[in-house]
Amino acid sequence: VKIKGKNTYVLYKGAPDKLLKYCTHYKNIDGKDIEFDRDSIKNKIESLEKESKRLCLIAQASYLHDTDTIPELTFLALAVISDPLRPKVKNAVKEIQGAGVHIVMITGDAPNTALAIAKNVNIYNEAHNIVLSGEELSKLSDAEVKNILPKLSVISRALPGDKRRLVRLAQEIGLVTGMTGDGINDSPALKLADIGFAMGSGTEVAKEAGDVVILNNDLKSIGKCMLYGRTIFESIKKFIVFQLTMNFCAVGVSLIGPFIGVDTPVTVMQMLWINIIMDTLAGLAFAGEAPQKSYMEEKPKSRLEPIIMGEMLGQILITGGYTIFLCASFLKMTAFRDVFHFSSDFVGFMTAFFTLFVFCGIFNAFNARTSRIRLFVNLGKNKMFLIVMLFVSAVQIALIFFGGTLFRTHALSYPAIKEIILLSFTVIPFDLVRKILSRVFGAGR
């Protein structure tokens, strides 16, 4: 800086821990250079940093030196920046950690400032108590970083390469990794992470590198992303359970039918209607499932975890097996054949069987939508499910009376329809017993 009529001088600004050691004097109110006690200002800096303040030291040199060296400086001022935490940050961190996510704070702040912020939001705790500076991190090998990663909570004075390195090492040990950032130097890590969260107030480069842009800059939005992501995953699982149960039943009945005297238990047109129920309509029904807080209490899924897990497979095989048994019994047992006139009215009997099969599927949809004992929990939050099931029921009853030769049906009496629906309803208490036994023996969640 050159001021008319006065000497030229150079201003330096930067991290106190980098510049303070070069300061030999300070300027008093009269502009005179006076020697000062470096330790006293150092103690003041540490005190402010522990209050989670961000600091910038401003100093002066008498002339410009080589850019690789710093001359003796005269201390001018210490800029203290207070960046208070958002009110919801603590709750957001607690929610994310409760979902089994390990949070590591990577920042360019001074070690004391970073640690103070981490303690305030409970990122630093007994379980995650390792704090490193970027310089300390650079001295560790990849194997050493992987070893301490489960307990790592804070990296201060981090460089852009530190962020990308940490994401890479986390992925190498099989972790699904998320990264938040807003600056250009965050872009490589945002791009590499499994999911990059760019802040809405950040640079365009960061937004382009990220997968999700958080428009309100609120950490709680990440928790919402996780909740809705887990809800979608759970809805997919429910749909798969329902569809595979129905497919298992359709294949099982078609294979068993010829051996018990019924060559075609389900016709081609009937199977098309069943496929519409299984695919299009069931997809709409399960897509509307509401997010549940319990999803955020589950552990994260492994990259290699199969989508069809133990309890799902058990429900498909056990409940599907019972449905096959029920349908096969209906086709074979004399009691059912007599009640629904197998000998004298074959089409009427097969209409009753077709109705039984479809209503078993409808009630199995209720079984599939929740793993809880309370079958109707949160059902009111998914109105689409109710609408779809009522629509399927109405169409099925209409097919009984108006399906004709196209669907191999003719009209049944209302008492007969009631009996068929009650018989198909037995899949619900059967599955409730399965769920109870699953919990008793520790297989349920």
Side-chain angles (χ1 to χ4, degrees):
V1 178
K2 187 173 183 178
I3 300 177
K4 188 176 181 181
K6 295 187 179 182
N7 295 330
T8 300
Y9 62 92
V10 181
L11 292 178
Y12 285 78
K13 67 179 179 67
D17 53 323
K18 299 294 183 182
L19 295 180
L20 184 62
K21 58 187 175 183
Y22 298 102
C23 295
T24 58
H25 299 76
Y26 76 93
K27 282 194 178 294
N28 67 4
I29 195 170
D30 298 322
K32 294 181 179 180
D33 290 351
I34 300 174
E35 292 186 6
F36 77 118
D37 182 0
R38 188 182 288 113
D39 290 337
S40 63
I41 191 69
K42 186 176 181 180
N43 291 336
K44 182 63 176 176
I45 288 170
E46 289 180 355
S47 175
L48 290 168
E49 287 177 342
K50 289 178 181 178
E51 294 175 10
S52 69
K53 300 293 192 296
R54 293 186 168 95
L55 307 177
C56 181
L57 190 148
I58 304 170
Q60 172 189 315
S62 58
Y63 58 91
L64 183 64
H65 290 68
D66 186 274
T67 55
D68 293 331
T69 61
I70 298 177
E72 289 186 356
L73 301 175
T74 299
F75 178 88
L76 295 181
L78 187 67
V80 182
I81 304 167
S82 179
D83 187 9
L85 295 173
R86 292 172 180 263
K88 298 179 181 179
V89 168
K90 283 188 178 180
N91 289 336
V93 169
K94 183 179 179 181
E95 181 182 35
I96 294 171
Q97 289 176 331
V101 177
H102 175 199
I103 300 176
V104 180
M105 188 173 79
I106 310 174
T107 176
D109 288 333
N112 288 330
T113 302
L115 183 59
I117 295 172
K119 286 181 177 178
N120 285 342
V121 297
N122 297 322
I123 291 176
Y124 176 89
N125 52 49
E126 292 182 2
H128 308 126
N129 56 11
I130 295 179
V131 178
L132 297 174
S133 66
E135 185 178 353
E136 291 170 333
L137 180 68
S138 66
K139 295 177 182 178
L140 297 177
S141 67
D142 286 355
E144 289 173 322
V145 175
K146 291 176 183 178
N147 190 46
I148 66 171
L149 188 56
K151 291 190 175 182
L152 186 60
S153 60
V154 179
I155 299 176
S156 61
R157 292 292 185 229
L159 299 174
D162 297 331
K163 301 174 183 180
R164 192 177 190 283
R165 182 189 180 199
L166 202 66
V167 170
R168 174 176 60 81
L169 296 178
Q171 291 175 330
E172 286 179 6
I173 61 176
L175 299 178
V176 178
T177 308
M179 170 71 190
T180 62
D182 58 3
I184 294 174
N185 60 357
D186 295 321
S187 301
L190 287 169
K191 188 71 174 178
L192 180 62
D194 293 292
I195 180 166
F197 296 97
M199 296 300 171
S201 61
T203 62
E204 290 301 318
V205 175
K207 293 177 186 177
E208 286 294 326
D211 301 292
V212 176
V213 178
I214 303 176
L215 297 177
N216 62 358
N217 300 313
D218 193 345
L219 188 65
K220 194 171 181 64
S221 296
I222 296 179
K224 288 184 178 179
C225 283
M226 293 173 57
L227 175 59
Y228 282 99
R230 292 186 176 193
T231 301
I232 291 170
F233 184 71
E234 290 294 326
S235 296
I236 292 172
K237 286 166 58 179
K238 293 172 183 179
F239 174 74
I240 289 173
V241 167
F242 168 74
Q243 190 173 60
L244 292 186
T245 301
M246 288 281 284
N247 276 322
F248 183 41
C249 296
V251 172
V253 168
S254 297
L255 290 175
I256 293 172
F259 294 99
I260 56 177
V262 182
D263 291 334
T264 312
V266 181
T267 67
V268 173
M269 288 302 299
Q270 290 173 348
M271 188 59 73
L272 286 174
W273 165 234
I274 291 168
N275 282 333
I276 290 173
I277 297 173
M278 286 192 297
D279 297 334
T280 308
L281 296 178
L284 291 173
F286 288 109
E289 283 296 293
Q292 299 178 29
K293 289 183 178 180
S294 60
Y295 295 159
M296 292 296 284
E297 297 170 2
E298 298 176 3
K299 293 181 179 180
K301 303 294 186 294
S302 166
R303 290 175 179 272
L304 304 177
E305 184 172 311
I307 194 169
I308 300 179
M309 294 171 285
E311 187 176 3
M312 291 174 62
L313 185 60
Q315 183 171 357
I316 293 166
L317 295 178
I318 296 173
T319 306
Y322 171 74
T323 308
I324 293 173
F325 170 78
L326 184 64
C327 291
S329 299
F330 185 90
L331 292 173
K332 178 63 177 175
M333 289 181 63
T334 304
F336 292 117
R337 289 190 172 194
D338 290 343
V339 170
F340 293 97
H341 314 294
F342 175 79
S343 299
S344 59
D345 186 7
F346 179 75
V347 173
F349 177 81
M350 295 312 297
T351 301
F353 170 76
F354 176 42
T355 305
L356 173 71
F357 187 92
V358 171
F359 273 97
C360 281
I362 293 171
F363 291 126
N364 272 326
F366 284 87
N367 290 331
R369 68 165 296 275
T370 180
S371 61
R372 298 186 183 182
I373 303 298
R374 293 169 56 205
L375 194 67
F376 303 111
V377 63
N378 295 317
L379 184 57
K381 296 180 180 179
N382 187 1
K383 293 182 174 60
M384 180 57 69
F385 183 91
L386 292 172
I387 292 170
V388 168
M389 293 304 126
L390 288 172
F391 173 76
V392 172
S393 301
V395 171
Q396 180 58 36
I397 291 174
L399 288 177
I400 294 174
F401 294 97
F402 306 108
T405 56
L406 184 64
F407 283 90
R408 196 181 65 181
T409 60
H410 74 60
L412 298 176
S413 66
Y414 287 106
I417 295 173
K418 180 180 177 181
E419 290 172 3
I420 294 166
I421 294 174
L422 287 175
L423 183 62
S424 61
F425 182 80
T426 60
V427 299
I428 286 183
F430 179 87
D431 195 64
L432 286 177
V433 172
R434 182 198 63 79
K435 290 175 182 176
I436 293 170
L437 293 176
S438 177
R439 280 152 180 72
V440 170
F441 292 102
R445 58 178 171 177

